[in-house]
Amino acid sequence: MREHDPPDTGSRLIPPVDPHVVVLFGATGDLARRKLLPGLYHLARAGLLRDYRVLGADLGHLGAEEFQKVAGEAVVEFGRQVADDESLAEFLDHLEYASITDGPDALADRTRELGADLSGESGADCRVLHYLSVPPSAALDVVDLIARAGLVERSRIIMEKPFGTDLRSARHLNAALHATFDESQIFRIDHFLGKEAALNILAFRFANGLFEPIWNRQHIDHVQIDVPETLSIGQRASFYEATGAFRDMVVTHLFQVLAFMAMEPPTDFTPLSISEEKQKVFRSMQPIQPADVVRGQYHGYLDEPGVSPDSDTETFIALRCEIDNWRWAGVPFYLRTGKRMGEGSRIISIAFCEPPRSMFPAGSGVGAHGPDHLTFDLADASKLSLSFYGKRPGPGMRLDKQSLQFALHEHADVLEAYERLIHDAMCGDHTLFTTSDGIERLWEVSDPLIANPPPVRPYAPGSWGPNAVHQLIAPNAWRLPFERAWRED
C-alpha cells in the first residue's frame, strides 16, 4: 500500500462466519448441482467458509464417496471458475451424505458428529444451516423431519419459493414454519436480490446527494420494471400450471425489486432497518385491480408436455400498481415479465418529468424522444444509463437524445447471487430476504387479481407480449426493446 492510500477496510465489512454444518436437502437435485454445490465451493475457495461441513441429504442411498463424486462433477460442469485440483479436493473432503429414509435419529446423529468435529465434543459453538432445495410439496415434511431430529436450536433454514400461492396458503405455510422455527431463523431466498446490481440500487440512491432529492413524485413521472425471458417453461409444466407468471415472478421477484426502488432511507444499513422500510412500501401498495393487468399466453404453450389443453395459465403478465404514500402518490409503477419473449433482460427504468414549458423553437427536437430516463440493467454485468437532451454540434439549435453509460464489470471474486445469499444466511443477515409479514401483505394486495383474473391473450413467441400492453401504459411507452443498444466500449 502506498503512503497516501486509504486503508483497506473492505474485509472488516464482511462479518465472520461461525463454524457451520450445512444440511443440503435435495443434494443431488438440479438446483443443488447447478447452483448450490458450485456456490459452496466458490465460498470455500474465496476463504468465506473456513470451519464447515456439508451434509447432503435426500431420498437416495449414496455413500460419502459417491456424493463427493456427484458434487465434484457439478462443480466442474457448472462452476463459474475453473476448479483447480487442490482446492476442489479440499472442498470435497468436507462433504458427507445421509439418506433421509434412515429417519430423524440417523440425520441428527450424523449432523451432531460433524458439528463436534468442528467445535469440540459438545458442538456448542457450531451452527446448522438447513437448505431446503426440495419441491414445495415436500418442504413442510422436511421441516417436520428437522423438528423430530432435534436440529432446530442454533440453526437457520433457507426456503425456496413459492411462499404460498395466495393469502390463505401463505398464512398456512408461515404458521407451519413458525410452529418449529422463529422468524429470525427463516430465510426466504430470492436470487434476484442476491445480485450485485440489486445492492447497487441502495448504494446509488442513498450514497449520492445528486439523485436522492429528486427520487419522488415531483420529479419522477413513472417507473418500469421489465423482466422478459426468452425461455419456454421447459420441463416445469407441473410447477408452472399451478403458479403462472404472476405467482412465479411478480410476487416473489418484481415486487421485491420495487421495494428497493421505492423505500424510504433506512435509519442505518442494518437488516432490521431495511426490512422495516420495505414493509412500509408493501403496506402502502394499493390492491392490484384486474383492469390494470394484462395476462398473456404464448402460442404453443398448450402443446407443451404436461400442460392441460384448456389451460388459462398466463405465461406473460403486465400490470400497473401504485404506492399510496407521500413520496410516490400518483406515480404509476409498470411491471412486465413473460416467457418466450423478444429478448431476455432485467431492466428498471425511471422516467423523469418533462419540463413544464419549452423555450426552444419548433423543430428543435425537444420532446421528440420522450422523457429523460435513468435505466438500471440488473443482468450479471450490471449497467446504468442516464439519457438527456443535448445540443447537436453545428449551427442552429437542434437537440438530440444523448446518454451517459457505465458498466459495473464483474470481477472474478464477485459473489454470484446464491453464494451471497447463502453467506448472508450463515451470518444471520436478513437484508436481502423477505419476511412473513411482507409475503402475506403482497398476497393481500394480489387478492383482487387472483379472485377475478382477466382472460389470457395470445402472443407470438419472440414478441413483446399481447398488444394490449401498449394500452396499459399509454400515453407512455415501454422502454424495451431499446431504440439504442448499450455501448460495449
Side-chain angles (χ1 to χ4, degrees):
M1 184 173 71
R2 295 188 301 271
E3 181 179 357
H4 299 293
D5 283 346
D8 179 13
T9 59
S11 60
R12 280 180 273 165
L13 299 178
I14 302 175
V17 175
D18 292 330
H20 262 80
V21 176
V22 180
V23 183
L24 180 54
F25 293 95
T28 58
D30 187 65
L31 177 62
R33 292 178 61 251
R34 288 180 176 272
K35 294 293 185 181
L36 306 183
L37 290 167
L40 288 166
Y41 164 73
H42 189 226
L43 286 173
R45 184 178 179 179
L48 296 175
L49 298 183
R50 297 187 184 276
D51 300 321
Y52 72 98
R53 295 290 187 274
V54 178
L55 179 62
D58 60 19
L59 295 171
H61 295 278
L62 302 180
E65 291 185 0
E66 292 174 288
F67 177 54
Q68 290 169 4
K69 180 181 178 182
V70 170
E73 292 172 349
V75 171
V76 170
E77 182 176 0
F78 299 110
R80 295 184 294 115
Q81 301 176 13
V82 177
D84 65 88
D85 294 341
E86 183 178 352
S87 64
L88 181 57
E90 182 180 355
F91 171 70
L92 296 179
D93 193 48
H94 288 72
L95 271 57
E96 298 289 341
Y97 181 83
S99 175
I100 61 177
T101 60
D102 293 336
D105 292 340
L107 179 66
D109 291 344
R110 196 70 192 99
T111 303
R112 292 188 179 114
E113 288 172 8
L114 297 176
D117 290 343
L118 295 174
S119 54
E121 187 172 336
S122 68
D125 297 329
C126 185
R127 286 192 174 273
V128 179
L129 178 67
H130 303 287
Y131 198 120
L132 272 59
S133 178
V134 299
S137 59
L140 291 182
D141 291 335
V142 175
V143 171
D144 179 65
L145 175 67
I146 294 169
R148 289 187 289 124
L151 296 174
V152 175
E153 187 178 359
R154 288 187 60 79
S155 75
R156 300 181 177 113
I157 181 170
I158 295 181
M159 302 288 297
E160 283 281 346
K161 70 178 180 77
F163 313 121
T165 55
D166 54 22
L167 180 58
R168 180 180 178 182
S169 61
R171 285 174 171 168
H172 171 75
L173 175 62
N174 286 331
L177 290 173
H178 291 156
T180 300
F181 291 96
D182 184 77
E183 177 65 18
S184 64
Q185 296 175 278
I186 303 170
F187 292 78
R188 298 168 184 83
I189 197 165
D190 175 6
H191 70 274
F192 265 48
L193 297 188
K195 293 183 176 295
E196 196 73 24
L199 283 172
N200 194 51
I201 295 172
L202 298 183
F204 187 88
R205 282 194 59 190
F206 301 126
N208 295 297
L210 177 62
F211 288 101
E212 180 54 27
I214 62 172
W215 210 266
N216 55 53
R217 71 186 189 281
Q218 294 174 314
H219 301 282
I220 291 177
D221 182 77
H222 66 276
V223 177
Q224 297 179 31
I225 302 176
D226 213 350
V227 186
E229 298 180 291
T230 58
L231 298 175
S232 68
I233 62 166
Q235 304 300 314
R236 303 171 68 213
S238 60
F239 168 80
Y240 213 80
E241 280 284 273
T243 55
F246 180 77
R247 291 177 172 91
D248 181 38
M249 290 291 293
V250 177
V251 175
T252 53
H253 294 323
L254 273 62
F255 280 162
Q256 304 299 326
V257 174
L258 182 151
F260 270 11
M261 290 296 303
M263 63 187 276
E264 296 295 320
T267 54
D268 50 40
F269 198 80
T270 60
L272 180 59
S273 295
I274 292 173
S275 292
E276 286 176 346
E277 298 306 330
K278 287 174 61 182
Q279 184 64 13
K280 289 178 184 177
V281 173
F282 297 149
R283 286 200 298 267
S284 300
M285 287 177 63
Q286 294 295 287
I288 307 300
Q289 300 301 326
D292 293 328
V293 177
V294 175
R295 297 169 70 233
Q297 187 183 92
Y298 65 78
H299 288 296
Y301 175 75
L302 299 181
D303 299 324
E304 299 279 12
V307 171
S308 171
D310 58 351
S311 172
D312 68 345
T313 299
E314 78 278 357
T315 62
F316 169 96
I317 189 138
L319 59 94
R320 170 191 171 119
C321 60
E322 294 195 4
I323 301 170
D324 190 19
N325 63 16
W326 192 270
R327 182 183 291 261
W328 296 113
V331 177
F333 286 73
Y334 298 101
L335 281 58
R336 178 174 66 166
T337 186
K339 300 287 188 183
R340 298 294 305 275
M341 297 187 69
E343 66 181 63
S345 295
R346 295 167 184 168
I347 296 293
I348 302 172
S349 187
I350 297 97
F352 292 99
C353 298
E354 297 194 61
R357 182 179 181 277
S358 175
M359 67 179 185
F360 297 97
S364 64
V366 172
H369 303 286
D372 300 336
H373 283 87
L374 176 64
T375 303
F376 292 87
D377 184 341
L378 301 186
D380 291 333
S382 54
K383 305 171 185 176
L384 188 147
S385 172
L386 178 63
S387 69
F388 53 90
Y389 283 101
K391 182 185 178 299
R392 180 188 300 177
M397 183 55 72
R398 290 284 299 171
L399 284 80
D400 287 330
K401 205 71 167 183
Q402 302 174 14
S403 67
L404 295 174
Q405 298 182 8
F406 69 87
L408 306 174
H409 295 293
E410 297 263 78
H411 299 282
D413 57 350
V414 171
L415 296 182
E416 192 268 348
Y418 278 100
E419 297 163 5
R420 176 187 301 280
L421 294 170
I422 291 171
H423 185 265
D424 284 356
M426 287 181 164
C427 298
D429 185 340
H430 278 88
T431 301
L432 300 177
F433 300 86
T434 192
T435 64
S436 59
D437 290 343
I439 285 294
E440 290 180 16
R441 172 57 184 165
L442 291 176
W443 285 121
E444 186 178 5
V445 301
S446 302
D447 258 354
L449 172 61
I450 293 174
N452 186 28
V456 293
R457 302 168 183 259
Y459 66 96
S463 71
W464 290 93
N467 288 333
V469 298
H470 302 298
Q471 286 76 50
L472 176 69
I473 201 171
N476 302 304
W478 294 100
R479 286 280 283 160
L480 283 176
F482 284 136
E483 295 180 3
R484 297 183 300 275
W486 289 96
R487 293 195 295 267
E488 295 301 325
D489 56 346

